[in-house]
Amino acid sequence: LFFNTEVRPFDDVRVRRAFNHAIDKERMIRVIGGKPTRADGIVPPSMPWTNPGRPAYDFNPDKARALLREAGVPAGTRIQLWFIESRPIDRRVVQSLEQDLSAVGIALELKGVSYPAFEVRVRTRRTVALGLWGWVQDYPDPSTFLDTLLNGDLITGTDCNNVAFYNHPEVNRRVREAGRIVDADRRLELFREAESQAMTDAPWVPLYHPNYAVIRHPRVRGDLPHPVWLWRFENMWLAE
């Protein structure tokens, strides 16, 4: 769930943190089905990665209401939430979000659109305030999330992958430095610091990581998943 940090009311970090506290992810996961993994950070846990210093947001509607009052957001405020209409799981997710946010005084207006319309609008600057989006890694490294999705130096007016239009100089500096060095320990430290700062600023509510089942025939060999190309079919064969 992304917030456009350049658009009211999400230009106020208190509102973004309030939404993080308002959402019951465990209930959402039960609603979705299929046993996805709860998301509490930006870099997926399946990647060789830990970040013990990363801020965590507990499910706390009282804290959410207090933050909204502090930010001057009145109960009953209506906010449009964009999502891709053709995805049944997304429909269930936004209905779960609608219920959680209603409990803290936010009335969501669900705006389901086609995939092409969604991509054009949410990636255009100062257009969509709130939306449900997802990302799949392009390569097994934290930069595919932190640099691609949250580096403010890469913000463009259109076709922008940083759909939160999040721009923090220290996050930008850290991911830029990490991209120039090969020292694994230092890169890990920089990425941890960048993710911790981003989670403090809360440009997203990380919701869940899908888990996919793969069905294979027992005669198939060489079907090890590839971290970039998913499957290398030229390396597969059928056993006798």
Side-chain angles (χ1 to χ4, degrees):
L1 181 70
F2 71 84
F3 312 114
N4 190 324
T5 58
E6 296 182 329
V7 173
R8 295 182 62 189
F10 301 115
D11 55 349
D12 189 324
V13 69
R14 295 170 295 185
V15 178
R16 304 195 299 266
R17 290 171 181 164
F19 273 57
N20 271 272
H21 286 298
I23 294 169
D24 185 349
K25 297 179 187 179
E26 295 301 330
R27 184 176 63 82
M28 175 181 292
I29 284 172
R30 293 194 298 271
V31 169
I32 293 170
K35 298 182 179 179
T37 299
R38 170 182 170 140
D40 289 307
I42 294 162
V43 180
S46 57
M47 188 173 289
W49 167 266
T50 58
N51 189 1
R54 183 186 63 206
Y57 295 92
D58 60 331
F59 172 53
N60 191 330
D62 289 336
K63 187 179 292 185
R65 283 187 283 266
L67 284 165
L68 290 169
R69 285 195 301 270
E70 184 182 326
V73 178
T77 294
R78 298 189 64 83
I79 298 176
Q80 196 171 71
L81 169 62
W82 283 60
F83 69 101
I84 298 170
E85 177 69 43
S86 60
R87 294 179 177 175
I89 289 179
D90 287 13
R91 166 64 68 175
R92 295 199 293 271
V93 169
V94 297
Q95 289 172 343
S96 181
L97 294 172
E98 182 181 32
Q99 183 173 337
D100 287 340
L101 289 164
S102 175
V104 300
I106 299 295
L108 288 184
E109 177 188 338
L110 303 183
K111 176 74 171 179
V113 297
S114 69
Y115 178 79
F118 182 88
E119 283 284 299
V120 169
R121 296 299 297 276
V122 304
R123 297 172 70 193
T124 300
R125 198 166 193 175
R126 299 184 181 91
T127 301
V128 173
L130 179 68
L132 185 68
W133 206 53
W135 190 258
V136 178
Q137 73 167 48
D138 293 299
Y139 43 88
D141 188 79
S143 63
T144 191
F145 298 94
L146 298 172
D147 188 31
T148 306
L149 303 179
L150 293 172
N151 184 349
D153 291 342
L154 303 181
I155 288 176
T156 55
T158 59
D159 299 320
C160 185
N161 285 325
N162 182 349
V163 291
F165 295 91
Y166 171 70
N167 188 3
H168 191 291
E170 285 304 306
V171 172
N172 304 346
R173 182 184 66 79
R174 284 174 169 84
V175 296
R176 188 168 59 245
E177 182 180 344
R180 291 197 298 257
I181 62 176
V182 294
D183 183 307
D185 291 338
R186 178 57 180 157
R187 290 185 84 247
L188 178 60
E189 180 183 17
L190 288 165
F191 283 135
R192 282 174 170 170
E193 291 171 352
E195 185 189 41
S196 293
Q197 181 62 62
M199 286 302 298
T200 298
D201 295 336
W204 301 353
V205 182
L207 296 174
Y208 67 94
H209 305 288
N211 294 308
Y212 296 104
V214 177
I215 300 174
R216 64 182 290 274
H217 193 282
R219 290 177 58 204
V220 173
R221 299 291 186 270
D223 57 331
L224 291 175
H226 190 277
V228 176
W229 306 116
L230 301 184
W231 305 104
R232 296 294 298 270
F233 295 104
E234 73 272 25
N235 296 331
M236 294 184 189
W237 72 98
L238 290 177
E240 293 294 335

